[in-house]
Amino acid sequence: MAYTLVTFNRTRFFLTRFLVAAALLFVILQTSFFMSEKSHFEERRASILAALERSETIIQSQLSAFATDLRILSHDDRLLDFAIGNADMYQPTARDFMTFVEEKPSIAQLRIISGDGQEIIRVERKNGHLLEVPQESLQKKSSRYYFTEALKLKTGQIYFSPIDLNIENGQIETPWRPVLRLATPLPADETGKRSVLVMNINAEKLLNDVIDTQAVTASPVQLANMDGYWLRGAPEAKLWGFMFGRETRLSVENPRLWSRISRHGDGEVEQDGVYYVFRTIFKGSFAPSLAGHISPSFRNVSLVAFSKLPSPTIAGSWNIASVMLTAVLTAILAVICFSWARTAEARHLAMQDKEAAQSEMVRRERLASLGGLVAGIAHELNTPIGSAVLIGSTLSSRVAEFLETIKSGKIHRSDLQMFENDLDSGMAILLRNLERAADLIGHFKQVAIDQSSERLREFELSNCVQDVLASISPQIRGRKIVIVPKIDPGLTLVSFPGALAQVLINLITNAQIHAFDEGQSGQITIIGKAAGRDEIELVVADNGRGIPQDLKQLVFEQFFTTKLASGGNGLGLSIVRNIVESILGGTVSASNTQGGGATLTIRFPRVSPFGAADNAQEKDYVEPQKAA
């Protein structure tokens, strides 16, 4: 069956493929770039949220630890004796302070301020060293807010100061040293005045704990206090504005964002193409043992941490790298499509040549098969026709003898009975041989018509197989090979019986040549059965030597043969596959059976998908004519 190939236009082929592929490439790249941008955005966003949550946990645990330390220290007996005026407890208290501060690297100062605001003992850490400040260097702190606010508390309550910059002798210390102060009033002395125990915490570490947990992201975190003043993440001129009388704060520069932060505390918001993530760090959650001793001043320590990310957009997903990548891939795509067009054109021309060659090859194979069948049928007809001629000649002589006996007048009843018996016997033998010859010619005629016509018609599978076996029986008569057909009855097909006959002839011939050695006995079994509702499975199996494992993938290739020296041309199974796929519309496969031998399995539809619109169907199967 031949294919009709349309005229090939290389330019049109190139443009259609290139434009479709380029559009698809652009969509894929655009989607990929945007999804990458969005994924990167989500990673940064998740990283910021996780970092802020970690910093919240870290700071809360540290402040709880500082409050616990201050509370424990405030109950020390020697410290309490010194605070109410026992000067003998100065040195023990100083030693206790030194030991305590040495064990707590975050403590920058530990001191007691008397009821009139004068420091009476102070231990501090400077440049990594601990020192006890001499009495003459102690300062007056009566005007400092943390002292006055602590005195307002009940004894045992703890005051948290806002984080600010350390001040020494009325001046902001440089370089800047952020400080958080915890203070608690001590029991009153005999005059009714209360001293205040003050612990200065190095807030640099607290602030860095927020920033450092964010180091893995590309979006820096900004820190502000609850009044909106920047403490970290802004230019130096904007930092610590409240310490220098400057209104450099977020609530002034971005009131919309600050309003959102003030209302919600934690959250996310998109504003003018910028995505903000914000969180209030430290909301004052303490252990039950501390909760009753913490004053509302803990809110002073709360910080606002926020970070901004550019919102992912389609336009924003394009950059120099993505444009360059797109240009390079488009150029590569153009080269591929151009090469594809050239290859397709060459393949198209090759397919035309191949189709013509395959059609010619199949035609010649059929003619060769018919030639072989003709030779076999002619040889096979010699026996019955020769016997018929011999019997006819013998009967003619016997009739002549009988006539002479009649003319002589010496005929007897026994002569007549003998002549009748000879005539009946001879005529029976003569008719039997002539019927055999007619049967052979009828089967061959049907196969020859199907082989040469390529017509689509309705036929019974069992009848087709019977015609083929009858036609090739002369070719295998001299060999010790038995062909056993096992065809289920009632398998009606609308297909090409000539093509199917060619397939069977090639498979049987292939089995004879490759499965058995010369003079070796064997069996070829042909099995035909329904495979589902609309398909037929035809199996040709032998009990010969089988197919070597490494050759299974090659047996259907053109010109592949293991019998080249014995006359094999490597076309038999190649033609089988071509006919099965392009004419019968099915598939063919080869395998070995467990007991030895090869099995070739063909599956094809009952109704051929090819030629139904181009070929007239013969609805009635015509049985081969038998001699009367």
Side-chain angles (χ1 to χ4, degrees), residues 7 16 139 153 187 198 257 280 296 315 317 376 381 388 472 499 564:
T7 304
T16 53
Q139 301 175 32
L153 302 179
V198 182
L257 176 61
T280 301
S317 63
L381 286 174
I472 67 170
L564 187 60

Side-chain angles (χ1 to χ4, degrees), residues 21 32 34 54 62 70 80 116 131 294 308 321 343 361 395 423 462 472 487 495 519 523 538 541 566 589 595 598 612:
S32 176
F34 180 72
R54 287 195 302 272
Q62 289 185 2
L70 185 68
L80 292 175
D116 57 4
L131 59 90
I294 303 299
K308 56 184 180 181
T343 304
M361 181 175 63
L395 288 177
L423 189 63
S462 58
I472 67 170
I487 310 300
S495 191
Q523 178 175 303
L538 189 60
S566 305
S589 61

Side-chain angles (χ1 to χ4, degrees), residues 73 76-83 86-101 110-112 120-123 132 186 197:
L73 196 61
D76 184 79
D77 292 337
R78 289 180 290 192
L79 180 148
L80 292 175
D81 282 349
F82 175 70
N86 186 352
D88 292 338
M89 291 294 107
Y90 176 83
Q91 287 300 330
T93 301
R95 286 195 299 271
D96 289 345
F97 275 20
M98 291 287 287
T99 301
F100 193 83
V101 173
L110 189 59
R111 52 190 166 157
I112 298 176
I120 56 176
I121 186 172
R122 185 172 80 184
V123 171
E132 177 188 339
L186 300 173
L197 176 63

Side-chain angles (χ1 to χ4, degrees), residues 242-521:
F242 64 95
M243 297 295 297
F244 302 97
R246 299 192 295 256
E247 281 296 300
T248 53
R249 50 179 170 170
L250 181 62
S251 57
V252 175
E253 293 198 7
N254 195 336
R256 286 175 55 197
L257 176 61
W258 182 251
S259 174
R260 185 70 177 259
I261 292 174
S262 300
R263 288 199 310 270
H264 299 284
D266 300 337
E268 305 169 39
V269 63
E270 187 174 9
Q271 179 181 305
D272 301 328
V274 179
Y275 196 88
Y276 291 92
V277 179
F278 56 89
R279 186 181 183 93
T280 301
I281 303 296
F282 186 63
K283 301 181 180 65
S285 182
F286 293 94
S289 59
L290 279 176
H293 302 281
I294 303 299
S295 74
S297 63
F298 70 83
R299 297 186 183 88
N300 294 333
V301 192
S302 298
L303 302 172
V304 174
F306 64 97
S307 184
K308 56 184 180 181
L309 302 165
S311 298
T313 60
I314 292 178
S317 63
W318 287 90
N319 51 39
I320 295 177
S322 58
V323 171
M324 291 294 293
L325 177 61
T326 303
V328 170
L329 291 179
T330 303
I332 294 174
L333 184 63
V335 173
I336 292 173
C337 288
F338 183 75
S339 300
W340 186 11
R342 293 185 61 180
T343 304
E345 183 180 36
R347 186 185 300 115
H348 181 85
L349 296 175
M351 282 294 294
Q352 288 180 320
D353 294 340
K354 180 183 177 182
E355 190 65 29
Q358 285 181 340
S359 297
E360 180 64 17
M361 181 175 63
V362 172
R363 187 184 71 83
R364 291 185 179 183
E365 182 72 12
R366 287 179 178 176
L367 291 177
S369 296
L370 285 175
L373 291 178
V374 168
I377 290 295
H379 181 272
E380 185 71 8
L381 286 174
N382 282 336
T383 301
I385 292 176
S387 297
V389 170
L390 178 62
I391 294 298
S393 175
T394 302
L395 288 177
S396 178
S397 298
R398 186 74 178 90
V399 169
E401 290 177 2
F402 184 70
L403 290 176
E404 287 295 328
T405 304
I406 292 176
K407 288 179 181 181
S408 66
K410 298 178 180 181
I411 186 168
H412 301 286
R413 185 176 183 84
S414 59
D415 293 332
L416 184 61
Q417 184 67 40
M418 184 182 298
F419 176 74
E420 182 183 1
N421 292 338
D422 290 342
L423 189 63
D424 284 343
S425 176
M427 290 300 295
I429 296 173
L430 180 64
L431 287 175
R432 190 162 56 247
N433 280 281
L434 289 177
E435 284 178 353
R436 170 149 180 76
D439 190 49
L440 285 172
I441 292 171
H443 285 298
F444 171 73
K445 178 183 176 183
Q446 187 61 56
V447 172
I449 290 173
D450 289 336
Q451 285 281 72
S452 59
S453 66
E454 269 194 11
R455 288 182 300 172
L456 184 76
R457 69 180 180 85
E458 184 175 308
F459 62 95
E460 291 287 330
L461 179 62
S462 58
N463 291 337
C464 180
V465 174
Q466 181 184 355
D467 289 338
V468 170
L469 295 182
S471 299
I472 67 170
S473 60
Q475 298 179 359
I476 63 173
R477 187 173 301 281
R479 305 193 64 178
K480 300 177 181 179
I481 297 173
V482 179
I483 300 179
V484 179
K486 296 181 179 179
I487 310 300
D488 290 349
L491 297 180
T492 303
L493 286 74
V494 179
S495 191
F496 297 91
L500 183 57
Q502 182 67 56
V503 167
L504 280 171
I505 291 170
N506 283 21
L507 291 179
I508 293 171
T509 303
N510 183 77
Q512 291 182 72
I513 295 173
H514 296 281
F516 308 105
D517 293 327
E518 191 67 31
Q520 180 183 355
S521 61

